[in-house]
Every structure is written in C-alpha cells, then in structure tokens.
Amino acid sequence: MPTSTLSFTLRRLWALNSFAYSIRVAIALAVLMAGCWSLDHMPAVVPLFLGVVACALAETDDNWRGRAQALLLTLACFAAAAFAVQAVFAQHTAFVVVLVVATFGLTMLGAISRRYQAIAYGTLILSIYTAIGMDQRGDTGQAFWVEPALLLAGASWYGLLSVIWCALFLHQPVQQNLAQLMRELERYLRLKSTLFEPVRDHQGEVRRIQLAQQSGRVVMALNQAKETIFNRVDATRPGSRMKQYLHLYFIAQDIHERASSSHYPYDALIEAFFHSDVLFRCQRLMRVQGRECGALARAILLRVPYVKGDESAAALQDLHSSIDQLQAHRQPQWAGLLGSLNALADNLGTLDAQLAEAGQPEAPVGAHDGALYDRTPRSWADALGRVREQFRLSSPLLRHALRLSLALALGYVLMRTIHARQGYWILLTTVFVCQPNFNATRQRMLQRVSGTFLGLAIGWALFDLFPSLLLQAMFAVVAGVVFFSTRTTRYTVATASMTLVVLMCFNQTGDSGVLIVPRMVDTLIGSALAGAAVYFILPDWQGRRLDALAGRALAALAVYLRELTAQYRRGRLDDLAYRLARRNAHNADAALSTAMTNLLAEPGRRAHEGDRGLRFMVHSHTVLNYLSGLGAHRAQLAEGAESAALLQSADHIAALLKTLADSLAQGQPHVLEPTVLQQLTEGLPVLPDGADAAQRLVAEQLRLICGQLAPLGRAAAALATAEMAAIASDDGGDRNAGAHEPAEAGTIEASIPEQKP
C-alpha cells in the first residue's frame, strides 16, 4: 500500500470517535490484564476492570484541567460509596436503607449539571459492583479494604489515562462533534428539499413532521458541539484553532436558521408553479448544499482544508435565472409569490456564502459577540437551589429518583427472599434498565435481555472452543474494548460484550460456567422490576406533559419574536440575547418532538393524544419556520409609519403567543377570538410593489404567522381540554408533570433551571 494511501486510511480511522476511544480503553484494560497475569494475581482482574467501567461511566467531556478536577471528586465519591457498602453489607436492614437513600440522593444530584449527573451515576454503579465483589468473594478472610482499593485502583488508572489523553488530544472531541453537526445539517437539507418537489401526493404534512424530528436532531448536535467547545475555549483569549471551531459553530447555527426558514406555504408554491422548473431548481440547490455540508464534515474530521465546489454556485445561478424567467412572464396569480421566491433565493444564496466562508482558515467571528451561555452553577448555593427546585411531585427527576429507589429496594428484598445466587446482578440490571420514561426503559429492557443472552451464548461457546486461560484473558480485553466503543450506540452489542468480560474474568479464578444460569435469571428479574417500576410507580406518561411542553414552546416562540422585533428596530446583531432566544425556541420545539416520539411508543390507547400533539407540533413548528425566515433576513427597517405598524403587529402576535402559553401552563383552554385575529391581519400594512424590500418581507412573514394563529389556538385548546379530562380521570396526580422541569441535559444557551415567567 502506498504511503499516502496508508496515511489517509490511518487518518480516517483516527477521525472515528469509536476508534480513538477504543485505543484508550485497550491500553487501560490490556495493562491491567498483563499486570495481573504477570504477577499471578488474577482474582484482582474483576474489581480492577469494574473500577475502569465505573470511572468511564462517570466520565464527561471536558478539558484536561476540568477532567482532573472531576476525577478527584469521582474518586472521593467512589471511596465513600465502596467503604459504606463494606460497612453495612452484612446488615440487611441497614443495607437497604443506605441503598435507597444513596440512590435517591445521587439521582437528585443530576439536577446540578451533566458532570454531577455522570459522577452520581458512576458512584451508584460502583456501589453495586462493590456488593457483587463481596458476594462473590464470600468468607475468604480477605481484609475489608482490599475490594474498595482494587475498584479505586482500576478507576484511578483509567481516570489518569483519560486526563493524559485529553491533554494530548484536546481538539479531537470538538472536531467529531462539529462533523456530526454538519452531517445532521446535511440530512436536514436533504429532507427539506423534498418539500419543494412539485408533486400533488398529499404527503406534505408527513414530510413536515419528519422535518421537525430531524430539526430536533440538529438541535441536539448543536447543543453537544457547543458544550464541547465551551469546555475547551478560554473566553478571553481562545487559540487560533478554537477560534476557527467557534466560527464553524456559529456558521452551523446560521445555516440551521436559514435552512429551517419558510417564506410561503409549500402547497401554495407547488400549486402555483407546478408547470415551472423553479421548484426543481430550489430542490437541487438544497441537495447540493446538503452535500457540501457533508464534505465540510469530512474535512473537519480529517483535518484537511475544505474547498467548496462550484456545483452549488451553478445551481444558485440556475435558480435566479428561473425566477427571472417567471418575472418576465408575470401572471396575476403570482403577485404574492414572486417576492417569496426572491427571498428564498436570497436566503439560499447567503447560506451558500456561509459554506464558502467555512473554508477560510482565519475567518473572523464577524457580527457575533463570541459569547457562549454558561450553564454551570455559579456557586454551591446555586447548585443546591437547582436540586431544591426538583423537590415537587411534578418533577420528572424526582419521580425517577423515587421510582429507581423503590425498584432497588424491591429487588433487594426479592433477592433475599428467594436466596438468589449472584443476586446483586438483579440490582445492577435494574439500574441500567430503569430510565426516566417508558419508551426508553422498554428499549433498554429489550436490549439488555437480548444482549445478555447473546453474551452468555458466545461465552459458553468460547469456553469449549478455547479452554486456554491466556486466550480467554485476551477475549476479555477485546470484549471490554467493544463494550466501551458501542455502549452509547449499540447497547445490545455492548451488553453482550460486558457479559463476556465478566465470564472471562471470573473464569480466571474459577468455573464461570456456574454464572450463566444465575446471570440469565437475574437479568430477567432486574429488567422486569425496572419495567414494572416505570409502569406502576409514578409513571411519567408523555400525554400528561404535552400541554406543559406545548406551553413552553409557545412561550419560547414569543420571546424569539420579541428578539427579532428588536433586531428589526436596531439592526442585525448576533448577540448572546438573540442566540439564546433562538436556541431556546428550537430546544423547546425539539423537546416537544421527542415527547411525541415517546408518546407514540407508550402502551394503551394513545391515538387521540398523539393526534392532538402532532397537530399542535406541525403548527408550532410552522410558526418557528416563519420566525426563522424573519431571522434569516434581519435588517433595520427604514423609519416611517409602515415600519412602526409592522413592529407593533409583531408585538401583538408575541403577546397572543404568550397568552396561549399561559393558558396551557394553567391547563385552561383559551380560544383566540376571530375578530382579534381579523383585526391583527387587517392591521398589517399593504405595501405597494415599489416598497422597501425588508418591509415587504416582514409584512409577508407576519401575515403567514397570523394565518397559523387560529389553527394553533385550536390545537392548544384541544391539548388543554384533554389535560382537564385527564385530571378528572386520575385526580390530577400527573398535573403539569414537567411544566417547570429544568432544560434537557443537552440544552445549550438555555437557563437551568427554566426561568419562570
């Protein structure tokens, strides 16, 4: 193989997140296995490996200083948990009390930040690992501190390796997350292009729902990229490479706003220009720009210069030529559409320019102020305040903490009642399977059971085929690497791999064949407990949260519109306040889309709830698209009565959106009066053909939003009415669950906890 080809292949492998992660894990596990083998102390392999797993589960993305600080805190929590389990292990009542209190407290600490959530989760896992080790060891006369010391040694070794790795390869996670963001934008543009296909197939609403779901995935990728950059950039003097990554992030934000903007109902465009090629030109341009986003993603990953192709420029020129042809043959029915087509072409032209700017190595930040919103707690009082805010029954976090605590207590009592061998695997399975909502728990339960059975079958076969303990030790290392590289993407494979790790490691000091049946039974029991807990103990059915999430989405839209109005008053400025409002609006839209996905996977008759939720989501997402259209063309309006009337109408629309949001938050249906909507629409000035282009665009976008207010109000009223009926049927036990919950774990540029109106 030529040297250049080999170099390119290695660079592509290195760009893969799983590959770099696998190398780090392989080093950690191989060193431990080799050390135990050479010292002839194989019983230490199991706790050492489990310590590595617990530390990896507690790992969060950060710079090396932050990761070192988090490691010290993690080890302190691990030590306290391990020795606490040692102290109460033989006292059944004390053990279950400590287990319940620790589970509840550690879960509630997740309200502080993602770092504390990960550390708390890893600590809980290590506590159960300690119990598993003590149960496996039995009465061997081993000193009480040996098991915790080995677990901490494994955790310390992996943590140290992780800190060193982070210091050596600081920018790799940023590159990977930015590349993932560009790939999601590629999918979004490709899906958005289907809306311009001039086909009367009545699939427009289905495509809009799919587009809303993909927009949620783009938002999640934006959130992850922002967090990764924020954890590494110095707010005062970022390095040149971080400046470039920050600039790419801002470009991605702008591309998302421009790609998600709408300038006219797509069905009307298809009907008007069905016999023209202009919509095909729009579709082709968006597909080409999507491919450019994919090419930019590859360039970021491989760390090669990005050179934008000429195809998009040619496609843009073809689009302008097609629009010019339509203007030359102007038809009366096109009067209100050609302006929207021109605005669409200008928007896509600016998007094309943004892609070209992404290839400039020293591109300036430009109109951005460069600030990113810091979600970390400012003080211990702030951190404790976040936890204290979750102590209400409507909080999904409190419900999950109570549910998980009770499930573990029931699991422990059941384990003692039936005298289960290796019974602590029941508790471990329950922790891994029990998720905050039913859909996630159901998926995890199926993956856990199938992965465990697969791992046990493979382990049984490997024992017969390869009786050599040295080969089995190698299999354990390989399986551990596979576990870490797949645990966030292919949980079934990860579970099978971890099952192999346990079997191969335990077989180094005894016959792990005796573990096969108990592990199967314990997995089934633990999964069943988790499923029963999420179904019966304070179930967090998504239908009970739709009105709260819908109200939050409308409130975010109102704030976004107010910020847009301010931009049209004073001029375009991508400051933090504007980006915060824009991101919160997209985050709220993504949260509603996620809730709908979970709702449709829940058991029972959810068709009516799903229909109401989907109807609202389509209308609210359409309003967000029209607002994005306003955001894409921000410019200071000329002084005059027309501009004042337009901005006043925008303020009235924002007030109506806020009124609908408040009614949903209170669970009271509110129907917008037709006369109010008519007056609002008639209040928009009718501008002549020669009027200012910015004024015409604002007037058209506001008119489109006004057209959505009536169906949006009806959809909101239907949600509130359904919630009132649910309250009457269940005495209000789930009222407004999630109405005041903090932002999602992946939310960026959003205050945590959620700011109250």
Side-chain angles (χ1 to χ4, degrees):
M1 181 182 294
T3 304
S4 59
T5 305
L6 177 61
S7 175
F8 182 74
T9 302
L10 292 176
R11 182 177 293 185
R12 291 188 63 180
L13 287 174
W14 183 252
L16 298 175
N17 182 35
S18 58
F19 181 77
Y21 193 31
S22 298
I23 292 178
R24 184 169 80 234
V25 171
I27 293 173
L29 298 182
V31 168
L32 292 177
M33 181 63 76
C36 292
W37 188 273
S38 61
L39 296 175
D40 195 21
H41 194 58
M42 293 306 293
V45 167
V46 174
L48 287 173
F49 271 34
L50 294 181
V52 169
V53 173
C55 188
L57 293 175
E59 186 179 46
T60 56
D61 182 69
D62 212 333
N63 58 49
W64 72 270
R65 292 186 183 88
R67 191 164 292 187
Q69 294 172 357
L71 176 61
L72 294 177
L73 178 60
T74 300
L75 294 178
C77 293
F78 281 8
F83 284 108
V85 170
Q86 287 273 2
V88 299
F89 182 78
Q91 307 169 33
H92 299 169
T93 302
F95 184 90
V96 74
V97 170
V98 170
L99 179 66
V100 169
V101 172
T103 301
F104 179 82
L106 290 171
T107 305
M108 293 301 295
L109 286 179
I112 299 177
S113 68
R114 294 185 67 182
R115 172 184 290 182
Y116 287 92
Q117 182 183 30
I119 293 175
Y121 184 64
T123 302
L124 180 59
I125 296 299
L126 185 122
S127 302
I128 301 178
Y129 282 163
T130 306
I132 290 174
M134 295 186 66
D135 184 55
Q136 181 71 22
R137 187 185 69 219
D139 299 326
T140 60
Q142 182 175 283
F144 77 95
W145 54 267
V146 173
E147 192 77 24
L150 291 173
L151 288 166
L152 290 172
S156 301
W157 162 235
Y158 178 81
L160 178 62
L161 186 62
S162 176
V163 172
I164 296 174
W165 190 278
C166 184
L168 293 176
F169 309 106
L170 177 65
H171 298 108
Q172 189 179 43
V174 182
Q175 298 162 4
Q176 291 163 346
N177 287 327
L178 280 175
Q180 179 62 28
L181 170 57
M182 292 301 171
R183 284 194 292 262
E184 295 296 345
L185 284 172
E186 177 186 11
R187 298 185 186 102
Y188 185 86
L189 284 166
R190 186 171 64 247
L191 187 59
K192 181 67 176 284
S193 70
T194 62
L195 295 179
F196 292 92
E197 188 170 356
V199 176
R200 301 188 181 106
D201 58 0
H202 307 291
Q203 294 296 312
E205 185 166 307
V206 175
R207 293 192 183 103
R208 284 191 286 272
I209 292 174
Q210 294 173 342
L211 195 65
Q213 294 172 335
Q214 178 58 29
S215 179
R217 287 187 280 272
V218 174
V219 169
M220 291 176 60
L222 278 166
N223 296 342
Q224 186 61 42
K226 181 263 178 182
E227 290 296 329
T228 307
I229 294 172
F230 184 82
N231 289 334
R232 286 163 176 78
V233 68
D234 183 354
T236 55
R237 291 180 4 186
S240 59
R241 189 184 298 181
M242 289 306 302
K243 283 183 179 179
Q244 174 65 8
Y245 292 149
L246 184 62
H247 181 60
L248 288 173
Y249 167 75
F250 286 139
I251 286 177
Q253 275 192 323
D254 194 71
I255 289 175
H256 182 224
E257 182 176 51
R258 294 185 180 280
S260 63
S261 62
S262 294
H263 299 83
Y264 212 83
Y266 301 105
D267 294 339
L269 290 174
I270 291 173
E271 191 64 34
F273 301 111
F274 187 79
H275 299 289
S276 171
D277 68 343
V278 66
L279 296 183
F280 280 116
R281 301 295 184 186
C282 293
Q283 185 182 57
R284 176 172 177 263
L285 177 57
M286 296 193 77
R287 286 181 175 175
V288 172
Q289 290 174 337
R291 290 198 294 269
E292 288 295 335
C293 287
L296 178 56
R298 290 188 292 274
I300 293 171
L301 274 180
L302 300 177
R303 294 184 60 187
V304 297
Y306 166 69
V307 180
K308 182 177 170 294
D310 298 329
E311 189 178 2
S312 62
L316 181 61
Q317 181 61 41
D318 291 343
L319 174 59
H320 281 295
S321 298
S322 184
I323 295 175
D324 292 340
Q325 188 74 10
L326 289 173
Q327 289 176 331
H329 300 82
R330 182 182 295 269
Q331 300 291 329
Q333 63 269 26
W334 298 346
L337 298 177
L338 290 177
S340 297
L341 281 179
N342 277 309
L344 172 62
D346 292 342
N347 185 34
L348 294 178
T350 307
L351 194 157
D352 209 57
Q354 291 278 36
L355 287 171
E357 188 178 343
Q360 301 176 13
E362 297 296 337
V365 173
H368 300 288
D369 60 13
L372 297 175
Y373 189 82
D374 186 4
R375 299 191 300 114
T376 57
R378 271 67 172 178
S379 62
W380 282 107
D382 183 15
L384 293 177
R386 296 183 183 188
V387 176
R388 190 163 48 246
E389 281 200 2
Q390 299 303 308
F391 278 90
R392 57 181 180 278
L393 198 57
S394 62
S395 167
L397 182 62
L398 179 69
R399 287 167 170 252
H400 179 58
L402 291 171
R403 189 182 305 130
L404 183 58
S405 301
L406 292 175
L408 290 179
L410 290 173
Y412 184 81
V413 172
L414 179 62
M415 179 190 73
R416 288 298 173 188
T417 301
I418 65 176
H419 303 288
R421 297 182 57 191
Q422 314 296 334
Y424 288 93
W425 294 107
I426 295 175
L427 306 184
L428 187 67
T429 301
T430 301
V431 171
F432 280 126
V433 171
C434 189
Q435 302 295 307
N437 61 73
F438 177 84
N439 186 33
T441 302
R442 180 183 62 86
Q443 293 178 353
R444 184 60 62 89
M445 181 167 56
L446 296 175
Q447 292 168 344
R448 186 79 184 180
V449 172
S450 59
T452 300
F453 279 42
L454 177 62
L456 292 174
I458 295 175
W460 175 77
L462 290 179
F463 287 152
D464 283 347
L465 294 174
F466 304 99
S468 170
L469 293 179
L470 180 58
L471 280 177
Q472 293 176 12
M474 293 180 180
F475 290 150
V477 173
V478 173
V481 172
V482 174
F483 165 76
F484 281 99
S485 61
T486 60
R487 66 187 179 91
T488 59
T489 56
R490 296 178 177 85
Y491 191 73
T492 300
V493 177
T495 302
S497 301
M498 181 48 62
T499 303
L500 276 178
V501 171
V502 172
L503 290 178
M504 297 300 169
C505 289
F506 274 110
N507 205 52
Q508 298 295 316
T509 56
D511 181 12
S512 64
V514 299
L515 295 177
I516 293 179
V517 174
R519 186 73 188 270
M520 294 172 58
V521 174
D522 293 347
T523 299
L524 290 173
I525 294 175
S527 298
L529 278 173
V534 79
Y535 191 90
F536 292 108
I537 303 176
L538 297 174
D540 191 20
W541 304 122
Q542 301 299 299
R544 300 295 185 264
R545 304 176 59 211
L546 284 183
D547 63 333
L549 292 173
R552 186 185 301 172
L554 291 178
L557 291 176
V559 174
Y560 187 20
L561 180 54
R562 291 194 190 99
E563 283 296 326
L564 285 167
T565 305
Q567 296 269 314
Y568 278 99
R569 282 194 173 99
R570 67 172 184 263
R572 183 187 185 99
L573 179 63
D574 287 340
D575 57 352
L576 180 60
Y578 172 75
R579 289 186 285 111
L580 180 64
R582 178 177 62 185
R583 188 52 46 209
N584 281 342
H586 283 284
N587 280 332
D589 183 73
L592 182 61
S593 175
T594 301
M596 286 305 308
T597 301
N598 292 330
L599 168 65
L600 297 176
E602 289 176 354
R605 299 179 61 84
R606 306 289 176 187
H608 295 301
E609 292 177 350
D611 182 64
R612 283 187 289 264
L614 287 174
R615 191 180 302 115
F616 178 89
M617 186 179 74
V618 168
H619 292 303
S620 65
H621 188 73
T622 302
V623 171
L624 178 59
N625 293 155
Y626 292 147
L627 291 179
S628 296
L630 284 173
H633 300 280
R634 280 169 291 145
Q636 186 173 5
L637 294 180
E639 297 289 342
E642 292 85 359
S643 296
L646 288 172
L647 296 176
Q648 186 178 19
S649 297
D651 290 336
H652 288 165
I653 294 174
L656 287 177
L657 291 173
K658 186 64 170 62
T659 299
L660 288 177
D662 292 340
S663 67
L664 282 170
Q666 297 166 6
Q668 298 295 329
H670 178 84
V671 180
L672 297 176
E673 294 294 336
T675 55
V676 174
L677 297 178
Q678 183 178 358
Q679 292 173 0
L680 181 60
T681 304
E682 293 175 351
L684 292 171
V686 179
L687 302 174
D689 291 342
D692 180 70
Q695 290 178 339
R696 287 179 58 82
L697 184 137
V698 172
E700 184 59 38
Q701 293 298 113
L702 291 179
R703 193 168 283 110
L704 291 172
I705 295 173
C706 288
Q708 289 292 318
L709 289 179
L712 184 64
R714 290 192 294 269
L719 285 179
T721 303
E723 179 63 17
M724 292 177 65
I727 294 172
S729 65
D730 62 10
D731 296 328
D734 288 339
R735 176 71 193 108
N736 275 349
H740 303 289
E741 66 184 275
E744 299 284 338
T747 300
I748 68 164
E749 298 183 359
S751 54
I752 293 184
E754 181 80 357
Q755 291 182 350
K756 296 181 176 55

